[in-house]
């Protein structure tokens, strides 16, 4: 079917339906058929009109990103946006009272479409999400979103929603004034029809409270809100991501000079952004992430369902993983050494759940159900029925082996055992096991509830069904899962450790601690390497470096072992590469003393050296088969480690820089040694993406 207009008992209905697709993604064809349906509605003279979707759990998901991703010339983009803006203008100016009946995702263009209606009724379903998440993709709303959203919910809320790329649940959207009613999914059409029949056309108020409206309509008050948003956006985007500032500009122009000027501005700014490398990289990352849901299972058999998840070690990581499992609908059994440790783990998981409920991720009843799925004991009682057990005890190989053998004594033969080790080879953890094939790695990132990546480690003789089960469990927990082969440090820890090691070598040459960190943060890493080492803790850092160093090329960095020897532990101990006093952080002069160097300005480019160390190691992982694909390498680096997203990941970075990258590596290899000799795939000039 296609998008159509129907009339029943005086009420019009536009049913949005993109032919031959599971979801409604906006492309020029859909916009055109929607425009025709609106014209038909106008001609029919109906006084009430609802706009619905023919898709299950999906209203309008947003723009077809393949269309945006290929844009190189702004002119046709502006043309397409104007067409969409005109259609929504047509909808907004219909004489009928219009109501969007939102049954599922109404994101980006879908949200804008709903905003062009007078009223919005949403289904209280888990699939329902509404918002303008364009900024996250390096774009801005440009079918009236920067204009109609502030006019509806007020400028302050609109700025927050757009700049943070919020996707609101039905209840949150109701509270924010973005939807007007939330009803049971089965009652959606009836409720929307009722509203369309009974309510008048509506003029947007600019917020619910007088204060919100003042902020929206009074220039001096508005300037405060806009300035505040702009300062925050500049700090957060570090000048690397232009979209937030453009969104603010479009909102500002629209409220100051009127809707027509605002629409014109958002179209022009969108076209600028849509033809930029940054947006293309961010869109590609999203599309790669979506594809990965399927591709994670490449060459794997069907997974086994996980109904009961066991966790051994209910500490920082274990309790986070337990909560993620319970959110995914699994029953979770926790085990730690004594009752207080179990209780602490359960409390952490409960607190995380309550926190998420407060933020509107799920409602209170759902939060209670999640907590109800968690239980624990200081022994393995209840584990006999577990389908998957994840161990997150201390990072000691002997302890982990002991845990595996204790588990094997009680588990079913087909239950999977996963280690959350951050670096130890899984084959080592599994050594001595009765059934070593069922032991895999599930490397989560901290904090578990926020970090989107899971690195599943497949040992050489592992049972593929065990690997598949770990992948499926990770996806159920909402993670993007990459599958890597078993080697010290796997992929993520190895590349990160290599870059950290290079940073330590820079230090030994006398480059200043804060200089390295600041350069890397300006380049787009969330924190610089020395700050990160201090956060992780130097003892853990040394342990990881020792584990990963087996395959290392070049000199062994001395900094971390020297600091550990001198009793410096990092942030928790009050001093590491920095000294910590209250909130203050200053570079620790002791470090230079220990290394026997005096700090001096860097020679050469710090960022280039560290980035190329990372990219070259990632490429070696591909050569060695630690990585299955460049896409998994890019996802792992960006989602797990914070590799600057606007660069798309090490392999996209390599594609973008081709010959120049090879030459830089050769130059660094001449100056610094063979660790910079281009990995085979880089040397051969392989293109990683078509
Ligand atoms: P943690 O110290 O917070 O938790 C470890 C827990 O294991 C403690 O509650 C401890 O009582 C318990 N435990 C020790 N021996 C046990 C035994 N025999 N049986 C049952 N429970 C036992 O440590 P954290 O940070 O949660 O790390 C756990 C694992 O996760 C380590 O292997 C670590 O390398 C890995 N990891 C840590 C990350 C992090 O950022 N902290 C990130 C990724 C992996």
């Amino acid at each position: 079917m296609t998008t159509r207009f129907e009339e029943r008992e005086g009420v019009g209905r536009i049913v949005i339906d993109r032919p031959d697709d599971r979801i409604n993604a906006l492309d020029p064809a859909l916009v055109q058929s929607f425009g025709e349906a609106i014209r038909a509605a106008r001609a029919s003279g109906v006084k009430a009109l609802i706009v619905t979707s023919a898709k299950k759990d999906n209203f309008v998901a947003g723009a077809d990103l393949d269309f945006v991703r290929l844009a190189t010339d702004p002119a046709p983009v502006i043309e397409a946006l104007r067409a969409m803006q005109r259609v929504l203008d047509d909808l907004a100016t219909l004489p009928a009272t219009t109501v969007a009946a939102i049954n599922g995702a109404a994101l980006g263009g879908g949200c804008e479409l709903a905003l062009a209606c007078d009223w919005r009724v949403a289904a209280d379903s888990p699939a329902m999400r509404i918002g303008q998440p364009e900024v996250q993709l390096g774009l801005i709303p440009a079918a009236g979103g920067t204009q109609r959203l502030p006019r509806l919910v007020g400028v302050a809320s609109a700025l927050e929603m757009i700049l943070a790329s919020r996707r609101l649940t039905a209840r949150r959207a109701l509270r924010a004034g973005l939807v007007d009613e939330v009803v049971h999914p089965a009652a959606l059409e009836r409720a929307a029809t009722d509203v369309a029949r009974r309510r008048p056309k509506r003029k947007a108020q600019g917020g619910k409270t007088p204060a919100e409206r003042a902020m929206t309509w009074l220039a001096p008050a508005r300037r405060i809100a806009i300035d505040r948003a702009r300062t925050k956006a500049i700090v957060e985007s570090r000048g690397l991501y232009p979209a937030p500032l453009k969104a603010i500009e479009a909102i500002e122009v629209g409220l100051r000079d009127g809707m027509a000027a605002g629409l014109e501005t958002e179209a022009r700014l969108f076209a600028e952004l849509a033809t930029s490398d940054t947006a293309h990289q961010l869109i590609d990352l999203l599309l790669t992430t979506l594809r990965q849901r399927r591709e994670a299972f490449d060459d794997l058999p069907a997974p086994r369902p996980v109904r009961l998840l066991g966790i051994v070690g209910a500490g920082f990581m274990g309790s986070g993983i337990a909560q993620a499992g319970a959110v995914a609908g699994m029953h979770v059994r926790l085990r730690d050494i004594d009752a207080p440790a179990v209780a602490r783990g359960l409390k952490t998981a409960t607190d995380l759940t309550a926190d998420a409920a407060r933020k509107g991720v799920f409602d209170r009843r759902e939060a209670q159900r999640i907590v109800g799925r968690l239980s624990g004991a200081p022994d393995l009682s209840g584990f006999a029925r577990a389908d998957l057990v994840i161990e997150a005890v201390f990072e000691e190989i002997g302890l982990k082996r002991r845990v595996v053998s204790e588990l094997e004594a009680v588990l079913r033969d087909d239950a999977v055992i996963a280690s959350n080790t951050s670096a130890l080879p899984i084959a080592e953890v599994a050594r001595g096991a009765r059934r070593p094939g069922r032991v895999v790695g599930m490397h989560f990132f901290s904090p578990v509830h926020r970090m989107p990546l899971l690195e599943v480690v497949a040992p050489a003789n592992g049972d593929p069904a065990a690997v598949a089960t770990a992948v499926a469990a990770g996806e159920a927990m909402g993670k993007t899962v990459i599958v890597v082969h078993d080697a010290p440090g796997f992929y993520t820890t190895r590349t990160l450790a290599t870059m950290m090691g290079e940073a330590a070598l820079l230090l030994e040459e006398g480059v200043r601690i804060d200089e390295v960190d600041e350069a890397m943060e300006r380049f787009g890493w969330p924190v610089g390497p020395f700050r990160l080492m201090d956060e992780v803790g130097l003892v853990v850092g040394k342990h990881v470096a020792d584990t990963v160093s087996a395959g290392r090329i070049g000199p062994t960095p001395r900094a971390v072992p020297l600091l550990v020897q001198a009793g410096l532990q990092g942030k928790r101990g009050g001093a590491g590469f920095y000294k910590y006093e209250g909130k203050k952080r200053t570079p620790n002069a002791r470090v230079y003393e220990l290394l026997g160097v005096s700090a001096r300005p860097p020679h050469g480019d710090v960022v280039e050296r560290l980035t190329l160390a990372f990219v070259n190691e990632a490429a070696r992982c591909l050569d060695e088969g630690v990585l299955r694909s460049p896409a998994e390498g890019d996802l792992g680096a960006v989602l797990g480690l914070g590799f600057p997203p606007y660069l798309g990941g090490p392999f996209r970075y390599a594609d973008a820089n081709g010959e120049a990258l090879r030459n830089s590596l050769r130059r660094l290899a001449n100056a610094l040694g063979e660790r910079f000799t281009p990995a085979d795939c880089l040397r051969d000039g392989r293109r990683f993406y078509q």
Side-chain angles (χ1 to χ4, degrees), residues 312-318 335-337 341 391-395 399-400 403 406 420-422 443-446:
V312 182
F316 178 61
M317 294 301 288
R335 179 246 200 280
D336 207 300
I337 41 170
E391 74 75 19
V393 300
F394 306 130
E395 187 83 345
L399 175 61
K400 288 192 188 287
V403 167
E406 283 169 18
N420 178 48
T421 172
S422 43
H443 178 206
F444 288 85
F445 292 75
S446 90

Side-chain angles (χ1 to χ4, degrees), residues 376-405:
D379 55 37
L380 292 176
S381 57
F383 276 60
R385 285 184 306 116
D387 305 290
L388 166 69
V389 177
I390 302 174
E391 74 75 19
V393 300
F394 306 130
E395 187 83 345
E396 291 165 26
I397 187 71
L399 175 61
K400 288 192 188 287
R401 279 193 196 136
R402 219 163 42 244
V403 167
V404 170
S405 101

Side-chain angles (χ1 to χ4, degrees), residues 305-312 318-319 321-335 346 349 366 368-376 381-390 412 473 476-477:
V306 175
R307 290 187 197 90
L308 181 64
L309 170 69
I311 305 275
V312 182
S319 52
I321 300 167
Q323 195 254 354
V327 170
M330 303 167 194
H331 288 272
V332 184
R333 189 81 183 154
L334 282 168
R335 179 246 200 280
L346 286 171
E366 179 60 15
Q368 275 166 8
R369 278 195 290 271
I370 291 167
V371 170
R373 288 195 280 267
L374 293 158
S375 66
S381 57
F383 276 60
R385 285 184 306 116
D387 305 290
L388 166 69
V389 177
I390 302 174
R412 281 196 327 258
M477 293 183 201

Side-chain angles (χ1 to χ4, degrees), residues 109 147 276 288 299 314 333 476 574:
Q147 307 304 309
S276 72
T288 310
D299 303 326
R333 189 81 183 154

Side-chain angles (χ1 to χ4, degrees), residues 149 173 198 254 287 353 391 499 673:
L149 189 60
R198 298 216 180 110
L287 295 174
T353 308
E391 74 75 19
M499 187 176 74

